[in-house]
Amino acid sequence: MVNIVHKFGGSSLSSAERYQAVANIILAHTEAGDCVVVSAAGKTTNTLVKLWQSYQQSDQQAVSDILLQLDNHQRTLIEQLLSPTARYAALNMLEQELALIAQQAQQQSLQEAALLAHGEVWSARLLATYLQQLGLAANDVDARQLFTLNDGQLLHQKNQQACAQLISANSINVVTGFIAADCQANTVTLGRNGSDYSATLLGSYCNAQQVSIWTDTQGVFSTDPRKVKKAIKYSKVCRGQANLLARLGNPVLHAKTLSPLKNTDIKLVVRSSYETEASATEIVKEGYSKAKRFITTLENIDLLRIDQLRGGEIGELSQLIQHSLHHFIENGDTYLLVPASATHQVVSHLQGRANIIESNLHGCAVVAPSNDVAQLFEQATQVLTEQSLTPRFSHQDADYILLLTDQSIDSDVLTLLHDKLINKGQELAIIVAGLGNVGEVFIEQLSQQLNRLQHHFSVKLVGLLRSRAMLFSPSGIALEQWQSQWQNEAIDYQQDDLLTRISELDYEHKVVIDITASEAFSELYPAFVNLDCHLISANKYAGTANNDWYQSLRRNLAERNLLWRYNTSVGAGLPINFALADLQNSGDSITHIEGVFSGTLSWLCSSYDGSVPFSDLVLQAQQMGYTEPDPREDLSGRDMQRKLLILARELGLTLELDDIALTPLMPEQLAQGDWQSFLDNKQLLDDFIAEKAADAAKDNKVLRYTGALTIAEGKVTAKVGLAYATQGDALANLTPGDNIFVINSQWYSDNALVIQGPGAGKEVTAAGVHSDLYWLIQNLK
Ligand code: ADP
Ligand code: ASP
Ligand code: MG
C-alpha cells in the first residue's frame, strides 16, 4: 500500500551530492510500496526546451551543442553515482537515446513532448539504480504507463487500474514526473513545473495518506525567500490560496497540484530537501487555516483581452503553451495573462478573439484575505509609484490584486513591498515554560503589556508548561483566567506532544520563553529552532552549554532568521546586555568586567563585618529563602561561573565553562558530605572567612565574592572567587543583595561604567523577560 508519495523537484536533484541527499531522505522517510516522483535533474527541461527551439529553427549546430551539453551533464551524474557495472549499462543506454534524438533531429521527426520526457526518464532511472546500489528494493516506473489522457482529459478509471498494477508493494517506486500518454501511446506533458501535479495525481490514484513535495525552500513563504530575506514561512496555507498563487505563475506549486486532492483527505506538505529537519508548510483544506498575505512577482507577460472565452479553453491553452494561465474579468471584459514567449501561440489558437492590450510587462500580485484587498491595493500602488514603477495596468479582485509595470520588481522593491504589506499586523504565539514565581508574575504582567504591543503585533499566549503538565490553546489562552483554564484543561506533559503542538501552530512567529531552571528543557532548544521558534531564556543552561552545541544552536538560529535573548540569565532585569552590546556596536572595546552576579553572595559578603559568624549569616539567608535549598550550591560559585561565561560569550569570546577558574566561598572539605556534616563543621567556614577578612583589612579592603574577566592584548583570563575590594570603591560600597557590574573599556578606562541594582527577585526578573519580549517584537517588525 502506498502511504506517502514523495516528490523531488529539479532543484533537489541538481548534482550528484543532491542525489545522495535525496537517497538519504528516502532511506529515512519511505517504506516499501511508497512512491517517489522525480523531476528532471536541475535545469534539464530548460535545456531540452532549448534543444527543441533550435531544432525548430533548423539550427543544426545548436542542436549538436546542446546534445553534447546534455550528454556531459548526465554522464557526470552517472559517473559520480554509479558503480562500474551499473555505470556501463547506464552510459550505454544514454548514448543510444542521445543518438536517437540526433537522428530524429536530422530526419525532421522529433516530437516535442517525447523529447522533453527524457529529463524525467533519466532522473527516475538514475535514482532507482542508485537506490538499488544502496541495497534498497527500488524500481523506476515510466508515468506514461500510469497516466493516460484522452483529448486532454485524464482517464481516471484506467489510470487507477494501471497504478494498482504497476506500483509495486514490495519496493520503492521511482516514478517520472511531468509526463503522461495519450490514447495512442504518444507522450504528452503536464505543463512546466508539472511534477507536483504528477505527485498528487499518483497520491489520489493510489489512495496515499500524504504527498510530500520536497524542494529547495523550507515551504511556502509570504514571498520568494530567495529575494526577500525577511519572507515569512507559513506553517499552513489553505488550498484556495495555494491554487491562486500557482495560477498567478508562482513556481512553488504547479497550478493543477491541488485538483486531484479535491474531496480527499490526502495531506499535502511542502518541505526542504536541503534542511530536512526544518518544519514544513502544510497545504490544508479551506477553513483549516486563516487566509494569509503573499506577494508573487510576474515577469515578461502580455495582457490579452479575449472575446467570448469558452469553458475549458483556459485548460486547453495552458496545455498548449505548457504554462499556467490566469484570467480575470474587469468591467465585463475577460483578460488573460500570458507569458510573452507564448503570446503568438495563444493568439493564433484563439483565431481573432484575442487582442493584445499591453505587451512585455512585469509586476506583482498580492494575494490576501478579502477584507484586506482594498487597503493593500492603495498601499502597493503607492510603494510602486514612489519607486517610479507606476503600474501600467492594475486589477483588484476578491482575494488578490494585480499590478503590472514596465520594469520588473527587483528584490529591493519586493522587500519594500513586503515590509509595507506583509510584515504589518504580524502575529506572535508565546509558549511559556516554567510557572514558578517568575513565570506567574510574567503572566500577570503580560495582559497589561499586550495592550501596549497590540498596536503593531497580535500577540497570543498559546501554551503554558510545567514539568509535568501543559496547557495548549492555539487560538490563545485567556490571560485573566489562565489559572482556572489550567486547572480544567491542562494535560500531561509529553515532550513529543509539545513539539507536535508547536509544529501545528498557525502563526507567523513563535517564541518559547523558558523560565525554568531545567537543563533537560534547555536541551530541547534545537528542536524548537527547527520548528522556527524564537527563544527567550531566563534559564542559564543553553547559554553555558559546551561551545560546539552553543555555536551550532546560534548557527541554526541565524540560518532561520530566528532570535534568541537571555538577558535575565545574568543580573535579572539589569540592562547589562544592552550596555555591552551598545559599547561594542559603537566601536568601544571592553578590557575588563568585574562584578558580583549573585544576590545571595552579595548579601552574605556585604553583610559580613565580623560581628556575626559567617555561617550564621548563611543560615539566616537560608531561612529568608535567599539561598538554594542547600546554600552550598550558592557558596560553590558555580552559578556565578555560568553567568560570567554568558557575559564572555556576549563579548564574542568562545570560552568554555572550564576556562573560568573557580574557587568556592568555603573550604574544600565543607563542599563534600551531607548538610548535617556541614553544620557540624561550620566553624571551618567561619575561620576561613575570618582569616580572609583579616587579611583584606590589613590593606583597608573588604571581602567580596566576584567574577572577573580580563582581555589584555588578545589574551583572556576569567575567574570567579574571593576578591579584596578597596574601601570606597563601587564593589566595596555594594548594597547587600544587589548585583554589580563594573566595566572598563577603551573609553571607560580609569573611571569605570557601573551598573548596579537588584539582580534577582520575581518582579525584576519577570520585567527583564518582558524587556526581551519587547526587544524581540521590535526586531520582528
Ligand atoms: P522544484 O525544482 O523543487 O520544483 P521550483 O524551482 O519549481 O522547485 O520551486 C521552488 C522555488 O520557488 C524556490 O526556489 C523559490 O525561489 C521560489 N518561490 C517563489 N515564491 C515562493 C514562495 N512564496 N515560497 C517559497 N518559494 C517560492
Ligand atoms: N521538469 C519539468 C519542468 O522543469 C517538470 C517539473 O520540474 O516539475 O518544468
Ligand atoms: Mg517545481
Side-chain angles (χ1 to χ4, degrees):
M1 201 188 83
V2 178
N3 261 324
I4 307 186
V5 175
H6 298 269
K7 177 256 167 176
F8 294 93
S11 62
S12 299
L13 297 166
S14 54
S15 64
E17 292 80 49
R18 296 315 308 161
Y19 269 83
Q20 284 159 343
V22 165
N24 285 333
I25 296 174
I26 292 171
L27 282 168
H29 293 267
T30 59
E31 289 173 11
D34 283 349
C35 292
V36 174
V37 172
V38 287
S39 295
K43 302 270 179 223
T44 302
T45 312
N46 288 358
T47 316
L48 289 163
V49 169
K50 260 194 252 147
L51 178 58
W52 174 252
Q53 288 163 347
S54 306
Y55 163 75
Q56 280 192 310
Q57 291 154 6
S58 305
D59 186 344
Q60 281 303 332
Q61 186 56 46
V63 169
S64 1
D65 290 351
I66 297 171
L67 278 171
L68 199 61
Q69 199 182 327
L70 288 164
D71 186 20
N72 276 336
H73 182 224
Q74 288 303 314
R75 188 173 286 275
T76 313
L77 291 174
I78 291 170
E79 283 172 354
Q80 289 178 348
L81 290 167
L82 299 188
S83 65
T85 1
R87 190 187 303 161
Y88 180 74
L91 288 175
N92 234 340
M93 221 179 297
L94 175 69
E95 219 167 279
Q96 286 173 23
E97 285 160 337
L98 291 170
L100 187 62
I101 297 174
Q103 192 191 353
Q104 288 174 339
Q106 283 225 317
Q107 296 168 347
Q108 301 287 311
S109 61
L110 216 48
Q111 299 289 322
E112 183 182 12
L115 173 68
L116 299 190
H118 280 99
E120 271 66 17
V121 169
W122 289 330
S123 48
R125 204 162 63 201
L126 179 56
L127 183 62
T129 316
Y130 183 60
L131 292 173
Q132 288 159 7
Q133 201 172 286
L134 297 179
L136 231 69
N139 60 299
D140 57 313
V141 183
D142 190 321
R144 285 174 287 199
Q145 300 190 307
L146 301 178
F147 307 146
T148 308
L149 291 98
N150 183 21
D151 229 2
Q153 300 297 314
L154 286 153
L155 303 178
H156 293 309
Q157 217 173 355
K158 176 176 161 56
N159 297 345
Q160 206 156 0
Q161 278 167 4
C163 289
Q165 265 171 16
L166 295 171
I167 296 298
S168 156
N170 308 317
S171 78
I172 310 277
N173 301 275
V174 185
V175 182
T176 55
F178 183 51
I179 56 174
D182 65 13
C183 291
Q184 289 72 47
N186 295 315
T187 306
V188 289
T189 58
L190 301 174
R192 291 305 309 269
N193 228 347
S195 303
D196 302 326
Y197 180 35
S198 309
T200 50
L201 264 183
L202 192 57
S204 76
Y205 287 145
C206 296
N207 254 328
Q209 285 174 4
Q210 178 169 327
V211 175
S212 297
I213 308 278
W214 297 82
T215 183
D216 61 346
T217 58
Q218 288 180 12
V220 181
F221 287 70
S222 50
T223 192
D224 189 338
R226 299 193 180 288
K227 297 184 181 155
V228 176
K229 202 161 169 275
K230 277 198 202 159
I232 300 162
K233 180 171 70 185
Y234 292 131
S235 53
K236 290 182 190 181
V237 172
C238 59
R239 290 181 181 180
Q241 285 200 308
N243 200 15
L244 177 55
L245 276 171
R247 273 191 285 123
L248 288 162
N250 187 285
V252 73
L253 285 177
H254 180 267
K256 288 196 191 143
T257 312
L258 281 307
S259 61
L261 304 184
K262 226 184 219 166
N263 308 322
T264 77
D265 286 323
I266 301 172
K267 185 169 161 170
L268 177 65
V269 297
V270 180
R271 57 188 301 188
S272 167
S273 69
Y274 287 69
E275 292 158 275
T276 52
E277 296 301 317
S279 63
T281 297
E282 186 181 346
I283 312 294
V284 294
K285 288 185 185 178
E286 296 312 303
Y288 284 76
S289 161
K290 36 187 187 301
K292 310 275 171 15
R293 292 183 182 187
F294 303 85
I295 311 178
T296 185
T297 50
L298 300 145
E299 299 274 341
N300 302 317
I301 48 157
D302 292 346
L303 180 69
L304 274 54
R305 195 172 52 224
I306 314 291
D307 294 334
Q308 296 154 6
L309 185 73
R310 289 195 297 265
E313 215 162 26
I314 294 288
E316 278 167 35
L317 284 169
S318 85
Q319 176 69 26
L320 175 77
I321 66 164
Q322 293 284 297
H323 205 285
S324 55
L325 281 174
H326 181 66
H327 75 287
F328 56 89
I329 296 176
E330 166 105 15
N331 294 331
D333 290 326
T334 304
Y335 290 86
L336 188 59
L337 293 179
V338 184
S341 58
T343 300
H344 179 66
Q345 262 178 305
V346 171
V347 170
S348 53
H349 184 86
L350 290 173
Q351 296 176 337
R353 284 185 291 130
N355 295 298
I356 303 174
I357 304 298
E358 297 278 0
S359 57
N360 216 16
L361 289 186
H362 309 276
C364 65
V366 182
V367 171
S370 319
N371 287 343
D372 302 352
V373 164
Q375 180 207 350
L376 291 174
F377 187 78
E378 301 275 309
Q379 289 176 323
T381 309
Q382 191 187 346
V383 173
L384 290 178
T385 308
E386 281 165 7
Q387 296 303 311
S388 311
L389 284 167
T390 310
R392 278 272 290 276
F393 180 92
S394 38
H395 170 69
Q396 184 177 328
D397 217 296
D399 42 14
Y400 71 95
I401 60 175
L402 189 64
L403 299 164
L404 302 178
T405 52
D406 282 324
Q407 276 153 27
S408 66
I409 309 276
D410 62 17
S411 85
D412 291 342
V413 176
L414 191 57
T415 303
L416 282 176
L417 280 169
H418 190 266
D419 282 351
K420 185 91 180 168
L421 309 180
I422 308 284
N423 280 350
K424 281 277 157 175
Q426 291 180 2
E427 297 174 311
L428 174 70
I430 303 182
I431 298 119
V432 177
L435 297 176
N437 287 336
V438 177
E440 292 207 346
V441 176
F442 173 79
I443 294 166
E444 271 163 36
Q445 295 170 347
L446 188 61
S447 57
Q448 204 185 3
Q449 187 62 6
L450 287 195
N451 292 335
R452 193 164 304 143
L453 302 172
Q454 218 88 41
H455 299 298
H456 309 289
F457 246 78
S458 162
V459 184
K460 296 249 164 65
L461 175 70
V462 300
L464 290 171
L465 331 170
R466 285 191 207 270
S467 50
R468 292 208 177 74
M470 65 184 195
L471 170 65
F472 240 88
S473 172
S475 56
I477 295 165
L479 287 171
E480 310 73 46
Q481 292 139 29
W482 74 269
Q483 267 142 328
S484 60
Q485 204 173 340
W486 175 272
Q487 298 273 317
N488 299 328
E489 296 170 30
I491 53 168
D492 282 352
Y493 170 77
Q494 300 280 349
Q495 185 177 310
D496 290 348
D497 202 11
L498 168 67
L499 296 177
T500 308
R501 279 165 192 259
I502 293 180
S503 73
E504 286 170 355
L505 287 172
D506 189 14
Y507 283 78
E508 289 156 27
H509 298 285
K510 299 171 269 196
V511 59
V512 175
I513 303 185
D514 174 10
I515 318 181
T516 72
S518 155
E519 187 166 11
F521 191 75
S522 75
E523 284 161 6
L524 291 178
Y525 286 13
F528 296 144
V529 170
N530 283 337
L531 295 175
D532 289 304
C533 295
H534 302 280
L535 300 171
I536 291 177
S537 28
N539 184 341
K540 282 182 277 295
Y541 282 104
T544 58
N546 73 63
N547 241 317
D548 289 346
W549 189 92
Y550 173 84
Q551 296 298 350
S552 119
L553 179 66
R554 282 247 172 251
R555 264 197 313 279
N556 290 343
L557 285 155
E559 276 166 14
R560 292 177 162 73
N561 281 328
L562 294 169
L563 301 166
W564 180 21
R565 294 292 277 186
Y566 45 74
N567 169 24
T568 52
S569 57
V570 185
L574 295 178
I576 174 68
N577 57 329
F578 286 105
L580 294 184
D582 205 47
L583 286 177
Q584 297 194 101
N585 292 336
S586 342
D588 199 358
S589 53
I590 286 152
T591 51
H592 187 69
I593 303 177
E594 181 164 16
V596 179
F597 330 133
S598 152
T600 316
L601 300 183
S602 161
W603 188 85
L604 288 173
C605 291
S606 298
S607 305
Y608 182 75
D609 59 5
S611 62
V612 178
F614 192 74
S615 62
D616 282 10
L617 292 176
V618 172
L619 297 176
Q620 204 179 319
Q622 186 191 32
Q623 265 162 18
M624 293 187 299
Y626 284 4
T627 66
E628 294 296 322
D630 182 337
R632 286 177 299 173
E633 199 38 52
D634 299 292
L635 298 178
S636 74
R638 279 192 291 266
D639 178 59
M640 281 205 11
Q641 189 189 28
R642 286 194 182 276
K643 288 171 176 164
L644 189 62
L645 178 60
I646 290 174
L647 291 180
R649 287 182 176 171
E650 285 290 285
L651 298 184
L653 303 171
T654 47
L655 296 190
E656 296 281 7
L657 209 47
D658 288 344
D659 296 326
I660 301 176
L662 174 68
T663 337
L665 185 56
M666 60 186 154
E668 224 171 82
Q669 59 267 51
L670 284 185
Q672 321 299 331
D674 59 13
W675 180 236
Q676 189 54 46
S677 73
F678 173 88
L679 290 178
D680 295 344
N681 295 302
K682 66 186 170 61
Q683 188 60 41
L684 288 174
L685 176 65
D686 296 333
D687 294 348
F688 170 84
I689 297 289
E691 191 186 313
K692 300 281 182 194
D695 207 26
K698 279 189 222 150
D699 295 329
N700 200 26
K701 293 186 173 180
V702 292
L703 281 191
R704 291 291 177 262
Y705 191 77
T706 69
L709 178 80
T710 312
I711 308 163
E713 288 159 12
K715 201 169 166 292
V716 180
T717 45
K719 59 176 198 280
V720 169
L722 261 176
Y724 300 163
T726 307
Q727 291 282 11
D729 278 3
L731 270 169
N733 285 347
L734 187 61
T735 309
D738 271 5
N739 276 17
I740 185 166
F741 302 85
V742 181
I743 303 164
N744 290 103
S745 68
Q746 197 185 325
W747 298 337
Y748 293 90
S749 58
D750 299 331
N751 202 355
L753 170 69
V754 178
I755 295 175
Q756 180 185 340
K762 54 186 181 178
E763 274 82 15
V764 289
T765 311
V769 178
H770 276 292
S771 156
D772 282 347
L773 179 61
Y774 183 77
W775 179 93
L776 173 71
I777 289 173
Q778 292 302 312
N779 279 274
L780 293 179
K781 268 202 235 160

